[in-house]
Amino acid sequence: MSDEIFDPEIHAADKDGNPSLNKNGTFRKKRRDAGAGRGTSSRTTKTAGTSQHRRYEEGVQGLLQIPAMALSFVNPVDGFCVAHHTPPISKAVADLAIERPEVAAALDKVLSVGPYGALLGATLPLVIQLMHNHGMVPESMAKAMGATPKKDIERHLKLVPQTETTPQYDDIPEMSEELHDVAA
């Protein structure tokens, strides 16, 4: 075997990120057209990469919501910090996964928890919202994890009268459109 060092930019790897070797033990070089099928344009390949990046980013965000929620019980400030820094962390991990096949392989395994992971991802925002509504998660933490402040929901449902000092619903996109339609 030569003294050559594996470089994922130029050397091929299997689906688990392990280097592919030639019969003589050297690292196999990537084909120039690797990953692109017949008739695939660079635009299609770029779109597929963007889709994969988005999947990695959303998956990491979903995973980081779990410790953020757990921390919010013990220390709301730490829980908020985890939730607040989740987007740049998930983007960086997704960028790394796109560049490094070994990271992508590990991330694919972690994110492939099947229907249970999808169920957890779908119900976690609702659980956070309900916990916030009952005072178990502070507003700043709930907002960082995608929940709507309880007071805004109450105003929307007209459970609390709107005053001159009460903010408008324009800062809640899903509510502002509906309320503007009602007012018209």
Side-chain angles (χ1 to χ4, degrees):
M1 192 168 200
S2 70
D3 293 333
E4 186 177 24
I5 296 174
F6 178 74
D7 181 357
E9 296 293 324
I10 58 172
H11 297 112
D14 65 14
K15 65 179 179 165
D16 293 326
N18 300 317
S20 295
L21 300 175
N22 292 319
K23 290 181 182 178
N24 64 3
T26 60
F27 296 115
R28 188 170 57 81
K29 303 268 187 210
K30 284 184 177 179
R31 294 187 342 229
R32 279 184 240 188
D33 64 342
R38 285 187 198 163
T40 304
S41 69
S42 60
R43 182 175 183 200
T44 305
T45 305
K46 185 175 181 178
T47 304
T50 303
S51 172
Q52 186 71 349
H53 187 278
R54 186 178 309 115
R55 188 178 78 76
Y56 288 144
E57 197 168 345
E58 290 172 356
V60 171
Q61 284 180 2
L63 288 174
L64 289 176
Q65 280 185 344
I66 297 167
M69 186 178 81
L71 274 171
S72 70
F73 292 116
V74 179
N75 185 330
V77 174
D78 288 345
F80 174 83
C81 291
V82 171
H84 179 75
H85 291 283
T86 291
I89 291 170
S90 60
K91 182 185 180 314
V93 171
D95 290 346
L96 188 59
I98 294 298
E99 292 295 319
R100 300 288 188 184
E102 63 275 12
V103 174
L107 197 53
D108 284 334
K109 286 180 183 176
V110 170
L111 296 177
S112 67
V113 291
Y116 296 109
L119 179 62
L120 179 64
T123 57
L124 190 58
L126 173 62
V127 170
I128 292 165
Q129 181 69 60
L130 294 173
M131 292 172 69
H132 166 64
N133 292 351
H134 293 277
M136 298 169 74
V137 175
E139 181 179 318
S140 58
M141 182 68 200
K143 284 175 68 174
M145 296 180 76
T148 303
K150 179 182 178 182
K151 64 184 180 206
D152 292 344
I153 295 171
E154 289 172 336
R155 278 195 307 270
H156 175 70
L157 297 173
K158 300 186 190 276
L159 298 175
V160 176
Q162 177 116 5
T163 65
E164 300 248 348
T165 60
T166 306
Q168 296 297 314
Y169 295 104
D170 294 334
D171 60 336
I172 309 170
E174 64 274 6
M175 290 185 185
S176 63
E177 184 177 297
E178 180 181 326
L179 291 172
H180 286 294
D181 292 343
V182 170

